[in-house]
């Protein structure tokens, strides 16, 4: 999520963005906690780290997310977060103009809003006192935001606008969830079920794959095995994660998908109208 802003707004290279994300991750996400004081401490660390990044890139620490200096002629950037008042609805943090009213916020506030995570980072309150909203991170059940991105694109561009490629990047498949009726701790099992449902990204992928099967414009890259039990606090296992990614991308089918994406991006072949998949969302 943070990489979206680093790549699109601050125009970092992929290596630069990966290094910054890894540095912040090892400072904040190494230990889950239920202590509010620890989460507040993590929030301060995150704010300091984000402000330091902005200064190194030549931007003021209080720069607004929709500031013209963060706009790029090469990309439009949008990220989503939910509020505590409606945890299953998306609020869009955009770097570009939209028919819908924006969430007035700084770059740092937007980054904190999309990164808010139970056990690691607290919600963030954005807005004037009487109209403030509390943002709590990823909307419930929307870990895969491709549908929301398509809805956003259909608003910004006309439905008849033709796109060449819709590329979805996964963070690794989850393990198969089974039900053990012999478990004595039903609350624990129910919590696992809720967590699995909220983090599951494959249903969106399957639906979009079916809807766009004839166009060839939709491609998803997602490590199939090895990432199932990686936890948000496993930042000391970055080497292991990179190993699984390397093994996946070197296989024949994923490798051919990557080559296909590169060819499509270079040639910009017309493939599908934005409104075609978004009307099913």
């Amino acid at each position: 999520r943070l990489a979206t802003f680093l790549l699109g707004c601050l125009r970092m290279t992929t290596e630069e963005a990966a290094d910054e994300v890894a540095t912040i991750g090892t400072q904040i996400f190494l230990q889950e906690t239920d202590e509010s004081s620890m989460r507040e401490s993590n929030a301060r660390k995150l704010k300091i780290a984000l402000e330091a990044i902005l200064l190194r890139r030549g931007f003021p620490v209080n720069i607004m997310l929709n500031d013209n200096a963060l706009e790029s002629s090469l990309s439009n950037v949008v990220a989503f977060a939910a509020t505590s008042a409606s945890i299953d609805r998306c609020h869009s943090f955009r770097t570009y103009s939209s028919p819908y009213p924006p969430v007035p916020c700084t770059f740092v506030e937007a980054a904190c809003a999309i990164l808010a995570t139970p056990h690691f980072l607290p919600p963030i309150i954005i807005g004037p006192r009487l109209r403030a909203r509390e943002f709590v991170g990823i909307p419930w059940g929307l870990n895969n935001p491709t549908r929301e991105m398509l809805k956003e694109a259909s608003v910004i561009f006309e439905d008849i606008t033709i796109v060449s490629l819709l590329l979805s990047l996964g963070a690794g498949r989850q393990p198969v969830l089974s039900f053990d009726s012999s478990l004595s701790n039903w609350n624990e099992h129910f919590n696992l079920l809720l967590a699995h449902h909220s983090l599951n990204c494959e249903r969106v992928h399957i639906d979009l794959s079916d809807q766009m099967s004839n166009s060839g414009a939709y491609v998803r890259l997602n490590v199939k095995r090895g990432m199932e039990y990686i936890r948000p606090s496993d930042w000391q296992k970055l080497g292991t994660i990179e190993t699984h990614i390397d093994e996946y991308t070197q296989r024949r089918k994923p490798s051919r998908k990557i080559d296909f994406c590169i060819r499509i991006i270079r040639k910009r072949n017309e493939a599908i109208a934005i409104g075609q998949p978004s009307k099913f969302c």
Side-chain angles (χ1 to χ4, degrees):
R1 288 169 280 169
L2 178 59
T4 301
F5 284 166
L6 300 183
L7 293 168
C9 299
L10 305 188
R11 295 177 282 283
M12 291 186 180
T13 65
T14 53
E15 287 294 328
E16 289 172 336
D19 287 344
E20 294 289 3
V21 170
T23 299
I24 291 175
T26 52
Q27 292 176 347
I28 295 173
F29 292 97
L30 283 179
Q31 182 179 358
E32 296 186 32
T33 179
D34 289 324
E35 297 180 12
S36 60
S37 59
M38 180 67 75
R39 293 196 298 273
E40 292 295 337
S41 174
N42 287 342
R44 288 192 294 272
K45 291 178 184 177
L46 176 61
K47 184 173 182 291
I48 291 171
L50 292 171
E51 290 177 348
I53 290 173
L54 287 171
L55 290 174
R56 288 199 299 272
R57 305 296 292 192
F59 297 105
V61 297
N62 61 345
I63 189 170
M64 300 298 288
L65 183 64
N66 61 355
D67 191 292
N68 290 336
L70 294 180
E71 277 195 88
S72 170
S73 60
L74 299 177
S75 62
N76 290 327
V77 179
V78 61
F80 305 105
T83 66
S84 57
S86 183
I87 64 172
D88 62 343
R89 298 292 298 275
C90 282
H91 289 262
S92 301
F93 290 87
R94 307 177 182 93
T95 61
Y96 51 88
S97 299
S98 166
Y100 299 124
V103 178
C105 64
T106 66
F107 175 94
V108 172
E109 287 175 330
C112 291
I114 65 174
L115 290 174
T117 311
H119 306 303
F120 291 104
L121 288 165
I124 179 173
I125 296 174
I126 298 176
R129 184 173 64 86
L130 296 179
R131 296 166 50 206
R133 286 178 279 185
E134 184 180 57
F135 289 92
V136 295
I138 296 177
W140 174 263
L142 291 173
N143 250 43
N144 183 343
T146 312
R147 288 184 189 277
E148 301 305 317
M149 184 275 296
L150 284 169
K151 293 176 185 177
E152 181 77 11
S154 68
V155 171
I156 304 305
F157 307 102
E158 294 182 4
D159 278 355
I160 59 173
T161 300
I162 303 297
V163 296
S164 299
L165 177 67
L166 174 57
L167 177 60
S168 174
L169 301 178
R173 290 188 180 180
Q174 286 190 293
V176 175
L177 182 66
S178 58
F179 182 80
D180 186 353
S181 59
S182 66
L183 282 177
S184 58
N185 192 340
W186 283 79
N187 286 335
E188 180 179 351
H189 188 82
F190 183 68
N191 289 338
L192 289 173
L193 180 64
L194 288 178
H196 185 276
H197 175 74
S198 67
L199 297 174
N200 193 332
C201 299
E202 290 304 298
R203 175 48 57 189
V204 172
H205 159 59
I206 292 171
D207 290 346
L208 288 175
S209 183
D210 289 343
Q211 293 162 13
M212 304 176 68
S213 59
N214 294 326
S215 71
Y218 174 71
V219 176
R220 180 166 171 81
L221 299 171
N222 195 21
V223 176
K224 290 185 177 181
R225 290 188 297 272
M227 305 282 282
E228 300 95 325
Y229 301 103
I230 297 294
R231 298 167 58 87
S233 57
D234 286 342
W235 284 86
Q236 74 279 11
K237 297 182 179 180
L238 291 178
T240 300
I241 294 172
E242 289 189 1
T243 298
H244 292 311
I245 294 173
D246 288 343
E247 290 176 351
Y248 170 74
T249 55
Q250 291 169 17
R251 293 173 185 166
R252 183 179 179 184
K253 189 173 181 179
S255 178
R256 293 176 68 178
K257 284 184 177 181
I258 294 171
D259 290 340
F260 169 79
C261 291
I262 293 172
R263 290 197 304 271
I264 292 297
I265 292 172
R266 285 176 174 172
K267 295 181 179 179
R268 295 184 180 273
N269 295 340
E270 295 183 353
I272 190 172
I274 288 177
Q276 182 175 332
S278 63
K279 68 182 179 181
F280 296 104
C281 297

PDB file of all heavy atoms in Angstrom, residues 102-113:
ATOM      1  N   PRO A 102     -12.822  15.424  -2.568  1.00  0.00           N
ATOM      2  CA  PRO A 102     -11.664  14.717  -2.026  1.00  0.00           C
ATOM      3  C   PRO A 102     -11.683  14.680  -0.501  1.00  0.00           C
ATOM      4  O   PRO A 102     -12.462  15.388   0.143  1.00  0.00           O
ATOM      5  CB  PRO A 102     -10.495  15.561  -2.530  1.00  0.00           C
ATOM      6  CG  PRO A 102     -11.049  16.950  -2.573  1.00  0.00           C
ATOM      7  CD  PRO A 102     -12.491  16.784  -3.008  1.00  0.00           C
ATOM      8  N   VAL A 103     -10.820  13.854   0.048  1.00  0.00           N
ATOM      9  CA  VAL A 103     -10.554  13.874   1.482  1.00  0.00           C
ATOM     10  C   VAL A 103      -9.352  14.804   1.670  1.00  0.00           C
ATOM     11  O   VAL A 103      -8.224  14.423   1.337  1.00  0.00           O
ATOM     12  CB  VAL A 103     -10.215  12.461   2.014  1.00  0.00           C
ATOM     13  CG1 VAL A 103      -9.896  12.520   3.504  1.00  0.00           C
ATOM     14  CG2 VAL A 103     -11.345  11.490   1.740  1.00  0.00           C
ATOM     15  N   PRO A 104      -9.559  16.044   2.125  1.00  0.00           N
ATOM     16  CA  PRO A 104      -8.431  16.979   2.240  1.00  0.00           C
ATOM     17  C   PRO A 104      -7.441  16.477   3.289  1.00  0.00           C
ATOM     18  O   PRO A 104      -7.773  16.361   4.471  1.00  0.00           O
ATOM     19  CB  PRO A 104      -9.085  18.295   2.680  1.00  0.00           C
ATOM     20  CG  PRO A 104     -10.564  18.096   2.473  1.00  0.00           C
ATOM     21  CD  PRO A 104     -10.813  16.637   2.606  1.00  0.00           C
ATOM     22  N   CYS A 105      -6.245  16.173   2.857  1.00  0.00           N
ATOM     23  CA  CYS A 105      -5.260  15.623   3.792  1.00  0.00           C
ATOM     24  C   CYS A 105      -3.860  15.783   3.226  1.00  0.00           C
ATOM     25  O   CYS A 105      -3.684  15.990   2.022  1.00  0.00           O
ATOM     26  CB  CYS A 105      -5.542  14.143   4.074  1.00  0.00           C
ATOM     27  SG  CYS A 105      -5.376  13.083   2.623  1.00  0.00           S
ATOM     28  N   THR A 106      -2.898  15.671   4.091  1.00  0.00           N
ATOM     29  CA  THR A 106      -1.507  15.702   3.658  1.00  0.00           C
ATOM     30  C   THR A 106      -1.089  14.321   3.164  1.00  0.00           C
ATOM     31  O   THR A 106      -1.790  13.322   3.382  1.00  0.00           O
ATOM     32  CB  THR A 106      -0.580  16.116   4.815  1.00  0.00           C
ATOM     33  OG1 THR A 106      -0.605  15.089   5.832  1.00  0.00           O
ATOM     34  CG2 THR A 106      -1.018  17.439   5.434  1.00  0.00           C
ATOM     35  N   PHE A 107       0.058  14.276   2.508  1.00  0.00           N
ATOM     36  CA  PHE A 107       0.625  12.998   2.070  1.00  0.00           C
ATOM     37  C   PHE A 107       0.803  12.072   3.267  1.00  0.00           C
ATOM     38  O   PHE A 107       0.475  10.875   3.204  1.00  0.00           O
ATOM     39  CB  PHE A 107       1.973  13.250   1.378  1.00  0.00           C
ATOM     40  CG  PHE A 107       2.717  12.003   0.993  1.00  0.00           C
ATOM     41  CD1 PHE A 107       2.575  11.466  -0.283  1.00  0.00           C
ATOM     42  CD2 PHE A 107       3.571  11.372   1.887  1.00  0.00           C
ATOM     43  CE1 PHE A 107       3.263  10.310  -0.654  1.00  0.00           C
ATOM     44  CE2 PHE A 107       4.270  10.226   1.529  1.00  0.00           C
ATOM     45  CZ  PHE A 107       4.109   9.690   0.258  1.00  0.00           C
ATOM     46  N   VAL A 108       1.333  12.606   4.359  1.00  0.00           N
ATOM     47  CA  VAL A 108       1.599  11.783   5.551  1.00  0.00           C
ATOM     48  C   VAL A 108       0.301  11.256   6.140  1.00  0.00           C
ATOM     49  O   VAL A 108       0.208  10.079   6.514  1.00  0.00           O
ATOM     50  CB  VAL A 108       2.382  12.604   6.601  1.00  0.00           C
ATOM     51  CG1 VAL A 108       2.494  11.829   7.917  1.00  0.00           C
ATOM     52  CG2 VAL A 108       3.776  12.939   6.069  1.00  0.00           C
ATOM     53  N   GLU A 109      -0.721  12.091   6.225  1.00  0.00           N
ATOM     54  CA  GLU A 109      -2.011  11.650   6.770  1.00  0.00           C
ATOM     55  C   GLU A 109      -2.616  10.540   5.918  1.00  0.00           C
ATOM     56  O   GLU A 109      -3.141   9.544   6.449  1.00  0.00           O
ATOM     57  CB  GLU A 109      -2.974  12.827   6.852  1.00  0.00           C
ATOM     58  CG  GLU A 109      -2.655  13.822   7.952  1.00  0.00           C
ATOM     59  CD  GLU A 109      -3.557  15.040   7.912  1.00  0.00           C
ATOM     60  OE1 GLU A 109      -4.012  15.410   6.810  1.00  0.00           O
ATOM     61  OE2 GLU A 109      -3.808  15.630   8.984  1.00  0.00           O
ATOM     62  N   ALA A 110      -2.553  10.695   4.603  1.00  0.00           N
ATOM     63  CA  ALA A 110      -3.104   9.665   3.714  1.00  0.00           C
ATOM     64  C   ALA A 110      -2.364   8.349   3.887  1.00  0.00           C
ATOM     65  O   ALA A 110      -2.983   7.273   3.944  1.00  0.00           O
ATOM     66  CB  ALA A 110      -3.020  10.132   2.266  1.00  0.00           C
ATOM     67  N   ALA A 111      -1.044   8.400   3.981  1.00  0.00           N
ATOM     68  CA  ALA A 111      -0.260   7.177   4.170  1.00  0.00           C
ATOM     69  C   ALA A 111      -0.613   6.505   5.492  1.00  0.00           C
ATOM     70  O   ALA A 111      -0.752   5.272   5.559  1.00  0.00           O
ATOM     71  CB  ALA A 111       1.232   7.500   4.113  1.00  0.00           C
ATOM     72  N   CYS A 112      -0.778   7.283   6.548  1.00  0.00           N
ATOM     73  CA  CYS A 112      -1.151   6.716   7.849  1.00  0.00           C
ATOM     74  C   CYS A 112      -2.551   6.114   7.805  1.00  0.00           C
ATOM     75  O   CYS A 112      -2.823   5.100   8.468  1.00  0.00           O
ATOM     76  CB  CYS A 112      -1.077   7.793   8.932  1.00  0.00           C
ATOM     77  SG  CYS A 112       0.603   8.347   9.325  1.00  0.00           S
ATOM     78  N   ALA A 113      -3.442   6.715   7.025  1.00  0.00           N
ATOM     79  CA  ALA A 113      -4.819   6.214   6.925  1.00  0.00           C
ATOM     80  C   ALA A 113      -4.865   4.853   6.264  1.00  0.00           C
ATOM     81  O   ALA A 113      -5.579   3.952   6.712  1.00  0.00           O
ATOM     82  CB  ALA A 113      -5.686   7.206   6.151  1.00  0.00           C
TER      83      ALA A 113
END
